[in-house]
Amino acid sequence: MQQLPLGVRIPDRAVFESFLPARNDQALQHLQRMASGELSGAAWICGATGSGKTHLLQAVCAAASRTERAGYLPLGELRPLGPGVLDGLAQLECVCLDDIDQVVAELEWERVLFAFLRELQERSGRLVVAAQAPPALLGWKLPDLGSRFAAATIFQLRVLDETEQQAALQLRARLRGFELPEETSRWLQRRFPRDMRTLYELLDTLDEAALVAQRRLTVPFIRSVLEK
């Protein structure tokens, strides 16, 4: 997988196959076509925390990097390094920028983003961006930059409901080679925050503990692991 020299690593689980589309199937299909090179241009993915934005961006990068140069940058994490982290990024064929709203309204960042976006468009590169809100609702310092992003294909991701969350957890479990009983997934939903990032992290912890203990993921077992 193509990696950027910034200490940014994409988890092996962040692939299209492990993303449950539910009511976000249109966004998923569009991004799959962008990752393959079938579609060009820019896409803007927005939605609440836990709606799957990061998963999709990382999946785009993972798929695209099989055949070309691609990069994923979590701008919320890299913001302290300054806009110089974007240097050379426009030379890639496919770029994914996560948490772009974390740097909007900072003039220096916007100037560098504008130059980056213009260069990427001139080279016919592909760009996928994620934020909490659509571009029209952000406080741009450079209106032209906001207008360019507003011209992207925009998708509002819908958070999974309780039943869809259970299906997503069971999908992730099957891809990791084990079965997650329905009563176990329901117990996790009742006891912990119902955002997929938290639930996926819990599932990873439980999977590792089950492998060590050679146990099935029953409610008594996960209670013994998580309540230590």
Side-chain angles (χ1 to χ4, degrees):
M1 181 182 299
Q2 182 78 20
Q3 298 293 342
L4 294 174
L6 291 169
V8 176
R9 187 164 186 81
I10 297 177
D12 294 337
R13 300 179 296 278
V15 293
F16 287 127
E17 292 78 7
S18 62
F19 183 83
L20 183 78
R23 293 163 293 169
N24 299 312
D25 189 56
Q26 187 177 5
L28 174 63
Q29 291 186 31
H30 186 92
L31 294 181
Q32 286 175 321
R33 295 175 68 190
M34 287 191 72
S36 69
E38 182 181 347
L39 293 178
S40 59
W44 183 288
I45 309 300
C46 53
T49 299
S51 59
K53 301 186 298 296
T54 295
H55 188 148
L56 283 174
L57 262 64
Q58 292 179 344
V60 169
C61 184
S65 64
R66 294 171 189 156
T67 57
E68 58 190 357
R69 297 175 302 166
Y72 164 82
L73 263 71
L75 296 183
E77 296 178 24
L78 300 176
R79 177 184 176 187
L81 301 179
V85 298
L86 297 175
D87 289 349
L89 207 62
Q91 299 302 311
L92 304 180
E93 282 73 38
C94 183
V95 178
C96 299
L97 300 179
D98 208 350
D99 297 321
I100 194 172
D101 43 348
Q102 296 295 310
V103 299
V104 168
E106 296 188 19
L107 187 57
E108 185 180 359
W109 270 98
E110 289 198 16
R111 285 173 174 163
V112 175
L113 277 169
F114 189 86
F116 154 76
L117 181 58
R118 185 168 54 188
E119 182 180 355
L120 189 71
Q121 290 174 332
E122 289 173 352
R123 298 185 61 258
S124 298
R126 308 189 303 284
L127 175 66
V128 183
V129 174
Q132 293 271 334
L137 298 183
L138 299 183
W140 303 94
K141 293 290 187 182
L142 300 178
D144 286 349
L145 178 61
S147 295
R148 288 192 178 224
F149 276 120
T153 302
I154 300 172
F155 294 98
Q156 177 81 41
L157 296 186
R158 306 179 72 174
V159 177
L160 300 182
D161 63 25
E162 182 175 327
T163 301
E164 292 164 346
Q165 282 186 344
Q166 291 176 12
L169 287 170
Q170 290 165 353
L171 172 62
R172 175 71 69 98
R174 285 195 298 274
L175 290 173
R176 296 197 64 166
F178 66 95
E179 290 297 323
L180 180 69
E182 185 176 335
E183 66 173 5
T184 303
S185 62
R186 288 201 304 267
W187 189 89
L188 290 172
Q189 288 176 311
R190 289 196 301 268
R191 296 298 193 282
F192 297 94
R194 294 189 181 187
D195 69 90
M196 292 310 301
R197 180 176 298 178
T198 297
L199 292 173
Y200 280 152
E201 289 174 353
L202 288 170
L203 188 63
D204 291 343
T205 298
L206 293 170
D207 180 31
E208 293 170 4
L211 285 174
V212 171
Q214 293 295 295
R215 295 278 301 277
R216 293 180 63 251
L217 289 183
T218 62
V219 170
F221 175 71
I222 65 174
R223 192 194 304 270
S224 69
V225 172
L226 299 178
E227 294 183 351
K228 286 181 179 179

